[in-house]
Amino acid sequence: MNDLRRNSEIISPKSAAILAALILLGRLLLLVLFRTENHFLLIDDSIFIITSALAALSLLYAAGMSEGRTKRAWTFLAVAQAAYTLGELIWGMIEVGQHENPFPSIGDAGFLIFYPIFLIGVGVFLFPDGPLSGREKIKIFIDAAIIAFSAVFVFWIFLFSPLINAYGEFSFALVLAMIYPLLDMILLLILLLLLYRKVMPGQNCPMIAVALALLSSVVTNALFCIQVQQHSYIPGSWLDTGWLISYLFFGLAGVLQAGAGRSEGIGTVPKDEANTYGTFCCGRAAWTHYLPYFGVGVASFLVYWGSKSLSSINDFAILASLVIIIALMLLRQKIALDDSEELLERTLSEIEERKKIEEQLQKAKEIAEAATRAKSEFLANMSHEIRTPMNAVIGTASLLLEEDLPARHQECVKTIHDSGELLLVIINDILDLSKIESGKMQLEEQPFKLKASIQESIELIRGKADEKGLYIDCALHDLPEVIIGDQIRLRQILINLLNNAVKFTEKGGLSLSVTSKRLESGNKDSSLKDAGTQNDGKKNGKEKNEDQQNDGIYEIHFSVRDTGIGIAADKMDRLFQSFSQGDPATTRKYGGTGLGLAISKRLVELMGGKIWVDSELGIGSTFHFTIRTNGCDSTSLSGIEQAQLSASPNADLPVRETGQERTFGDHAGDAREGDLHILLAEDNQVNQKVTLQMLSKLGFKADVAANGLEVLQMMEDRPYDIILMDLQMPLMDGMEAARAIRKRWPGTFQPWIIAFTACAMEGDEKKCLDAGMNDYMSKPIQIEVLRRKLANYRSS
């Protein structure tokens, strides 16, 4: 009902203006054509009564369309106009019924009641919504007093005193006639004060209409006062048109308020204009400090200019009036200055408080950063301490699995190996989640072949699917050949979803579908990180990609569908939360930490995409995810980048033919034991044994150094093609040793250094490359990974 009332419009401001113009024109035509007719006064008084009543209804309509304090204010204005209408009705009855001059009469009581009620309504506008302090109340009353004294002073000089001096009469009718323009002027000045104090662009039109109504009333009543003194006032004359104009402006003000201020009161500053209002007030406050001096000057000028008019008043009264006005102005000025001083102190106090808060925030930030660094150091140390023995466990198990062991022993070794791999996955997941939550996860921006990466991911889980008798389908549609992104992280997402599909499917199989859509315009999502790695002082990934030919922006959609157990609808919201799985019973049966999907979700978002799932319990699930990436024209890549794209995971190992001069990266021929000079820098004896056995399996031998100093000493004795460099070693770590090698042996006689570390934190690889190393491996070392890293030496 309230909304219906607010949305309804009885009359528009334009229609109201046209109606007001027609009423005014009708009254003027009535004066010109029918003034001498017998029923002229009846028609004329009816027009005035009806117009005044319509104005009261319009003001009441405005109150109905307003709220809160504004509603109360317009209600008072409507009641005041209704009282004026009552006086107009009594005037008409006396004038038409008794054929007498209605002034003065009982009808003037309605006119006089108008002023205090109207003043209350304007006062409601002046007072703010919140509670007022004593100082604010004093300021408002002082403003009203200054206005009242000034109005009396001005009217006495320009109207009252000249009339008394000219005619020498001082009757009740004259006093009553003098009161009307004086009260109108006081209301008008207070209304102007309201417009000054309540500046609201777009909402002051109703108050301006009210001010015009009061102005018309001031002029009309002043002329009426003169005609009363001269005994020349005639009811129904041209002078009465001024009162009609006043009624019309009151009615128009009500329509304007109903149309423009339905939800916002005139006395309320809209929220979106608060800043403008505050700025205006601040700019206005500067010149208001000089208002008392202006008032003193005006008062002095009026005393001088109207000295003849003041002759009817004794000097004490004149002096007292001036002193009162000036004293009120100075008092108002003193309060304004106190307010400014209080505001300044409050502002300074707020600034000081804000500085303290900023200092506290800075300290909290430093504490948080220190905690983050401590957490990162702890994770790095824990990663190193866990991966070092894990390297021995998984490496030894991998070597034993290649031996011809009895079936029972083979099964035990496989259990050890698989358990170690599972533990390594958990460790990696925890580290990944920690890096993502701390905001330190950065994505590589390197070109790679998308189809090859997808096929390699499928091959990694094919063995598990074959063990369970599951089929694997793969459909690739219109994919770009080469894209720029983080191949490792993309494979991590894909392998996680494929592993889950195999894990939770007992019969049937799974299918992978990959499609792409070329986006016509737009930039890659800002969440994709520009985190390239450096290699021998070359540009990082971001800078290199700026030089590569952009083949457009693609949105690539992956979907992995299985025929497994499915997921209940009420459990899906928990899938992508950390350490959470759909059903505790599922966790007990299938295992898992609940981190894989949470990490995948964060990685997908970093790649500018999203991940979601469609599933039906007992039928199967389909996991979808999208990424946004740049396609790449492979012909624009550098030679090294093209070699990396062409490198196969099963590439032959690099060799050096006998009798050929040793130069960096110049190797060819078949792989023969002893063709490469390899140095293993590792302080842990167990890892030394495991790595040497892996190299032996690959057909290579290696010398061993226990720290960086030994590496430098052995480099003095003989040159090495490849150095497998552990990072954390006593006396001199791997980073320092790599820098020393690059500095001591410049030119072409430098070895290919592969970082060989149990640290696997974000940024470790970049640090290694910045130190002068050529490649990076994290423990535990897989023999196939070692094969590929050695193969990179030849392709370089």
Side-chain angles (χ1 to χ4, degrees):
M1 180 62 72
N2 188 54
D3 293 338
L4 180 63
R5 173 174 62 84
R6 292 196 170 281
N7 292 329
S8 62
E9 185 179 55
I10 297 177
I11 185 172
S12 66
K14 182 178 179 180
S15 300
I18 295 174
L19 178 61
L22 291 175
I23 293 174
L24 180 61
L25 180 62
R27 206 273 170 171
L28 295 177
L29 290 175
L30 184 67
L31 272 174
V32 173
L33 301 177
F34 303 103
R35 186 176 181 182
T36 59
E37 298 293 331
N38 294 330
H39 300 292
F40 169 75
L41 287 178
L42 175 62
I43 298 174
D44 192 52
D45 287 341
S46 299
I47 292 175
F48 275 77
I49 293 170
I50 292 173
T51 303
S52 180
L54 289 176
L57 291 174
S58 176
L59 295 172
L60 188 63
Y61 172 52
M65 292 296 151
S66 304
E67 290 181 349
R69 179 168 54 88
T70 306
K71 181 183 182 71
R72 296 193 299 271
W74 284 97
T75 301
F76 277 113
L77 299 187
V79 173
Q81 186 61 33
Y84 211 97
T85 304
L86 178 62
E88 192 71 56
L89 178 63
I90 295 174
W91 259 46
M93 293 174 61
I94 295 173
E95 193 173 45
V96 176
Q98 300 180 10
H99 302 284
E100 296 179 359
N101 190 337
F103 182 79
S105 66
I106 192 173
D108 291 287
F111 300 146
L112 293 174
I113 292 173
F114 166 85
Y115 293 99
I117 299 176
F118 195 93
L119 182 61
I120 293 173
V122 176
V124 172
F125 282 128
L126 278 172
F127 285 82
D129 293 324
L132 280 175
S133 64
R135 186 176 294 173
E136 286 292 331
K137 292 178 181 178
I138 293 175
K139 284 196 295 185
I140 292 177
F141 285 120
I142 288 177
D143 290 338
I146 292 174
I147 289 173
F149 272 95
S150 300
V152 172
F153 202 65
V154 171
F155 267 86
W156 185 269
I157 293 175
F158 294 104
L159 183 63
F160 302 153
S161 183
L163 287 175
I164 294 173
N165 291 336
Y167 298 97
E169 297 180 6
F170 200 74
S171 63
F172 172 74
L174 179 59
V175 173
L176 187 59
M178 289 179 178
I179 288 176
Y180 286 127
L182 177 62
L183 294 178
D184 287 334
M185 178 60 73
I186 291 174
L187 287 181
L188 177 60
L189 293 176
I190 292 178
L191 192 63
L192 293 177
L193 175 65
L194 169 64
L195 290 172
Y196 166 77
R197 291 171 61 91
K198 306 289 181 180
V199 179
M200 293 152 293
Q203 294 205 22
N204 53 3
C205 291
M207 285 293 99
I208 292 176
V210 173
L212 292 174
L214 291 174
L215 180 62
S216 176
S217 183
V218 168
V219 175
T220 305
N221 282 323
L223 295 175
F224 172 72
C225 178
I226 295 173
Q227 290 187 4
V228 168
Q229 178 63 24
Q230 296 174 349
H231 302 287
S232 60
Y233 172 69
I234 300 174
S237 64
W238 290 94
L239 178 66
D240 294 356
T241 306
W243 287 314
L244 183 65
I245 293 174
S246 178
Y247 301 158
L248 293 175
F249 272 118
F250 277 132
L252 185 60
V255 174
L256 288 172
Q257 168 60 22
R262 296 175 186 272
S263 59
E264 294 277 5
I266 291 299
T268 304
V269 180
K271 293 181 179 179
D272 58 348
E273 296 174 3
N275 292 336
T276 304
Y277 172 67
T279 303
F280 183 90
C281 291
C282 292
R284 183 183 58 194
W287 67 265
T288 55
H289 292 307
Y290 302 99
L291 189 60
Y293 309 104
F294 175 76
V296 171
V298 171
S300 302
F301 173 76
L302 289 176
V303 170
Y304 171 77
W305 187 78
S307 57
K308 294 181 179 180
S309 299
L310 295 173
S311 60
S312 58
I313 310 176
N314 59 48
D315 294 339
F316 177 77
I318 297 174
L319 181 62
S321 299
L322 285 173
V323 169
I324 290 175
I325 293 176
I326 295 172
L328 289 173
M329 289 183 175
L330 292 176
L331 180 60
R332 178 68 172 80
Q333 179 71 357
K334 175 65 168 58
I335 295 175
L337 291 175
D338 291 342
D339 284 345
S340 299
E341 184 177 354
E342 182 180 342
L343 178 61
L344 177 61
E345 293 178 355
R346 187 163 60 247
T347 302
L348 293 175
S349 176
E350 290 178 356
I351 292 174
E352 188 66 26
E353 186 67 24
R354 182 169 295 181
K355 287 182 178 178
K356 292 181 180 179
I357 294 175
E358 289 177 354
E359 291 176 357
Q360 293 175 356
L361 290 175
Q362 183 63 29
K363 291 180 180 179
K365 178 185 176 183
E366 292 174 357
I367 293 174
E369 290 175 349
T372 301
R373 286 194 298 269
K375 176 183 177 183
S376 299
E377 292 174 1
F378 171 77
L379 289 174
N381 292 332
M382 290 303 298
S383 172
H384 182 271
E385 296 302 322
I386 294 175
R387 288 174 182 273
T388 297
M390 286 298 300
N391 182 59
V393 172
I394 296 178
T396 304
S398 299
L399 293 171
L400 288 174
L401 285 175
E402 297 187 8
E403 299 293 335
D404 186 16
L405 299 175
R408 184 167 59 87
H409 294 168
Q410 188 85 6
E411 183 178 353
C412 292
V413 174
K414 188 175 185 305
T415 301
I416 295 173
H417 181 271
D418 292 346
S419 299
E421 291 283 0
L422 179 59
L423 180 58
L424 184 62
V425 169
I426 296 173
I427 294 171
N428 290 335
D429 284 348
I430 294 175
L431 291 176
D432 283 345
L433 183 65
S434 174
K435 286 183 285 187
I436 292 173
E437 290 182 343
S438 64
K440 293 186 176 182
M441 173 66 75
Q442 292 183 329
L443 300 179
E444 292 287 338
E445 293 286 323
Q446 299 293 340
F448 66 92
K449 293 182 178 179
L450 178 59
K451 292 183 180 179
S453 183
I454 294 172
Q455 292 167 356
E456 291 170 8
S457 301
I458 293 175
E459 290 303 318
L460 288 174
I461 59 95
R462 187 178 297 279
K464 296 179 181 179
D466 291 342
E467 290 177 3
K468 300 180 71 172
L470 304 177
Y471 66 82
I472 300 178
D473 289 336
C474 179
L476 309 179
H477 306 281
D478 300 327
L479 300 181
E481 180 184 0
V482 179
I483 64 173
I484 299 173
D486 194 322
Q487 180 182 15
I488 295 176
R489 296 303 180 184
L490 178 60
R491 290 177 59 181
Q492 180 179 349
I493 300 168
L494 193 55
I495 291 172
N496 179 67
L497 296 180
L498 292 172
N499 269 328
N500 285 345
V502 173
K503 180 194 296 186
F504 296 107
T505 302
E506 299 299 332
K507 59 181 180 179
L510 59 145
S511 60
L512 170 64
S513 173
V514 187
T515 61
S516 69
K517 177 177 67 174
R518 183 168 182 171
L519 304 179
E520 294 182 356
S521 62
N523 295 322
K524 201 172 181 184
D525 194 276
S526 59
S527 62
L528 300 178
K529 307 299 181 182
D530 295 317
T533 59
Q534 283 188 323
N535 191 351
D536 289 334
K538 305 250 185 341
K539 295 179 181 178
N540 61 20
K542 178 180 178 181
E543 293 171 334
K544 286 189 293 186
N545 291 338
E546 292 176 353
D547 296 335
Q548 292 160 359
Q549 182 67 33
N550 189 347
D551 192 34
I553 300 174
Y554 290 85
E555 183 178 71
I556 302 176
H557 179 199
F558 299 79
S559 63
V560 179
R561 183 177 59 84
D562 63 59
T563 59
I565 60 176
I567 306 166
D570 59 342
K571 306 294 185 182
M572 286 194 207
D573 58 340
R574 301 171 54 188
L575 284 178
F576 300 103
Q577 299 177 8
S578 301
F579 302 103
S580 175
Q581 291 186 337
D583 191 345
T586 303
T587 306
R588 289 192 296 269
K589 181 177 180 180
Y590 294 98
T593 60
L595 290 176
L597 289 178
I599 294 172
S600 297
K601 179 177 183 294
R602 306 287 183 87
L603 292 175
V604 166
E605 291 171 351
L606 286 175
M607 295 179 184
K610 59 182 180 178
I611 186 170
W612 70 98
V613 60
D614 299 321
S615 183
E616 186 175 351
L617 192 63
I619 302 298
S621 305
T622 303
F623 281 83
H624 305 265
F625 74 93
T626 62
I627 64 170
R628 285 193 176 189
T629 182
N630 284 323
C632 180
D633 184 358
S634 58
T635 60
S636 67
L637 300 179
S638 65
I640 293 179
E641 289 172 334
Q642 290 184 0
Q644 291 174 343
L645 286 177
S646 303
S648 169
N650 298 316
D652 295 333
L653 291 177
V655 296
R656 178 167 57 89
E657 290 187 3
T658 305
Q660 208 174 14
E661 183 181 358
R662 181 184 182 279
T663 58
F664 179 76
D666 184 12
H667 299 279
D670 298 329
R672 292 191 299 273
E673 181 177 337
D675 281 341
L676 283 179
H677 294 161
I678 300 175
L679 175 61
L680 172 63
E682 170 66 69
D683 61 316
N684 186 280
Q685 294 183 357
V686 176
N687 286 334
Q688 289 177 1
K689 295 178 181 179
V690 172
T691 307
L692 289 174
Q693 291 179 16
M694 287 184 178
L695 290 172
S696 178
K697 283 284 185 181
L698 296 175
F700 292 93
K701 292 182 178 181
D703 297 330
V704 177
N707 55 66
L709 291 178
E710 292 186 9
V711 171
L712 298 180
Q713 293 172 359
M714 298 178 72
M715 283 283 295
E716 293 286 352
D717 297 335
R718 62 176 298 182
Y720 286 95
D721 297 291
I722 298 174
I723 299 179
L724 302 177
M725 183 81 75
D726 188 24
L727 294 188
Q728 295 189 6
M729 297 183 294
L731 301 180
M732 178 183 288
D733 60 30
M735 296 278 196
E736 189 176 354
R739 295 188 186 98
I741 291 171
R742 298 307 183 203
K743 184 177 181 181
R744 186 176 302 184
W745 288 279
T748 60
F749 295 98
Q750 291 191 355
W752 183 268
I753 304 177
I754 301 175
F756 197 65
T757 177
C759 298
M761 301 300 293
E762 188 70 26
D764 286 342
E765 182 175 358
K766 186 176 185 302
K767 291 177 182 178
C768 295
L769 298 177
D770 290 342
M773 300 186 186
N774 304 98
D775 212 337
Y776 176 89
M777 294 179 65
S778 64
K779 298 177 182 178
I781 302 300
Q782 302 286 347
I783 191 168
E784 288 302 321
V785 176
L786 180 59
R787 179 194 297 272
R788 288 198 297 270
K789 294 296 182 181
L790 294 175
N792 288 341
Y793 173 56
R794 182 187 63 184
S795 62
S796 66

